[in-house]
Amino acid sequence: MAASNGLGSFAATYATLVLVVCMVMVCSYATVPPLTLDYYSSSCPTVFDVIRKEMECAVSSDPRNAALIVRLHFHDCFVQGCDGSVLLDDTVMLQGEKTASPNVNSLIGFEIVDRIKSKIESDCPGIVSCADILTVAARDAVILVGGPYWDVPLGRNDSRTASYDLANSNIPTGDEGLTSIISKFLYQGLSITDMVALSGSHTIGMARCENYRARIYGDYESTSAGTNDPTTKPRLNTLRSGCPAAGGGNDNIAPMDYRTPDMFDNSYFQILINGEGLLSSDQELYTSILAVQTRSLVRTYAEDAAAFFEQFAESMVRMGNITNSDSFVNGEVRKNCRFINT
């Protein structure tokens, strides 16, 4: 009975959120010019080559750099839209987003964007926005570690503002429950299908002990109890040895996909089915009592890598199209991605 009431409440909440999101989207899309695939075809025809070459260097030097750039793109788009606000440093006149709770110890890789921007400014000064650079770089990062290709619509301006408060409230965190995560995606105009597919980006990258401590000392053992994998118990012991329960070791890291941490594939979803998701927010997609739709999607993507790749590409375009209408009116193309133009 309790489960039934929970599902009914969840359905009502979901319907309300969808209605609100649709109203917001109708109001905003009318004022934002469309992004296009050929935006820089004449003004900066070398832009894709420059970004690809710089990302090739970054990923070949350290495969983890692919995940860092993808994460930057996610955290940018969930605050004010994909407008490059996450790249801004704090100044006397502006509080950036880098020191917000979900970002302060999580986001690195800014120097990669700096290098790309510097090269592009040499070829096409004042033409290509940092927001567009980050969006293309995220696509190339995924490709370079084995993931799918997608066309990237372009034409974003860089915001002259940032929002520390929205960074704290809008970005999903590793310890959130399923309904909270879903609400944050719906708020951005992204569906539950988008959410599950985009969560698959955790097939690459690492998490800090601080973000998975509650999970490995909480329900990790119970969710993975039914797996036939004989290495599960030793793996949990290893995780706990690097992330003590009593605190300390907050900056120690572990791969979110222990099977193929540097390869973009669908093993992340197979890990969730085994109950071995490193983050509570990931495992919730499969084991939460409310995970009816998400559980089905996890199974689909675990069994069919092509289906995951196709949906991930579509969802990345959809996320990349979250725009900041103010930036089209008051935005700019920054000369330096860390600071607004003076």
Side-chain angles (χ1 to χ4, degrees), residues 6 92 104 108 153-154 158 169 176 178 182 209 218 230 234 249 304 308 325-326 328:
V92 174
V104 64
I108 48 181
L154 299 170
D158 294 321
S169 62
E176 285 190 72
L178 184 61
I182 288 174
C209 160
D304 189 344
F308 165 48
S325 57
D326 178 70
F328 284 97

Side-chain angles (χ1 to χ4, degrees), residues 9-21:
S9 174
F10 171 69
T13 301
Y14 175 80
T16 302
L17 283 166
V18 169
L19 178 61
V20 171
V21 167

Side-chain angles (χ1 to χ4, degrees), residues 72-223:
L72 277 178
H73 180 44
F74 271 68
H75 286 223
D76 184 37
C77 292
F78 270 68
V79 180
Q80 301 186 165
C82 311
D83 61 358
S85 62
V86 74
L87 303 173
L88 288 168
D89 284 349
D90 287 352
T91 67
V92 174
M93 301 297 293
L94 182 145
Q95 182 178 30
E97 299 162 15
K98 293 179 179 179
T99 57
S101 179
N103 294 342
V104 64
N105 294 310
S106 171
L107 296 187
I108 48 181
F110 296 102
E111 295 81 5
I112 298 172
V113 180
D114 292 339
R115 288 196 296 271
I116 297 172
K117 178 63 172 175
S118 177
K119 293 289 180 64
I120 290 177
E121 282 295 299
S122 295
D123 287 355
C124 318
I127 299 296
V128 183
S129 69
C130 299
D132 276 348
I133 289 172
L134 183 55
T135 309
V136 176
R139 188 274 309 272
D140 290 353
V142 170
I143 294 171
L144 287 166
V145 288
Y149 170 91
W150 62 92
D151 290 321
V152 180
L154 299 170
R156 301 163 188 81
N157 277 349
D158 294 321
S159 173
R160 291 179 56 84
T161 65
S163 180
Y164 177 90
D165 291 337
L166 288 180
N168 278 319
S169 62
N170 285 12
I171 298 171
T173 59
D175 59 356
E176 285 190 72
L178 184 61
T179 55
S180 177
I181 299 168
I182 288 174
S183 70
K184 289 185 175 181
F185 275 79
L186 291 177
Y187 180 77
Q188 301 295 342
L190 299 171
S191 68
I192 291 178
T193 300
D194 292 323
M195 180 196 70
V196 177
L198 292 172
S199 296
S201 65
H202 287 174
T203 190
I204 54 175
M206 314 288 278
R208 296 174 64 247
C209 160
E210 184 178 33
N211 294 321
Y212 62 81
R213 176 181 285 116
R215 165 78 172 134
I216 62 174
Y217 291 100
D219 64 349
Y220 186 104
E221 196 160 12
S222 62
T223 60

Side-chain angles (χ1 to χ4, degrees), residues 145 202-205 255-268 270-271:
V145 288
H202 287 174
T203 190
I204 54 175
M256 289 179 282
D257 173 357
Y258 68 86
R259 294 181 179 178
T260 54
D262 295 328
M263 178 64 66
F264 195 99
D265 56 23
N266 66 333
S267 63
Y268 160 84
Q270 297 162 6
I271 287 171

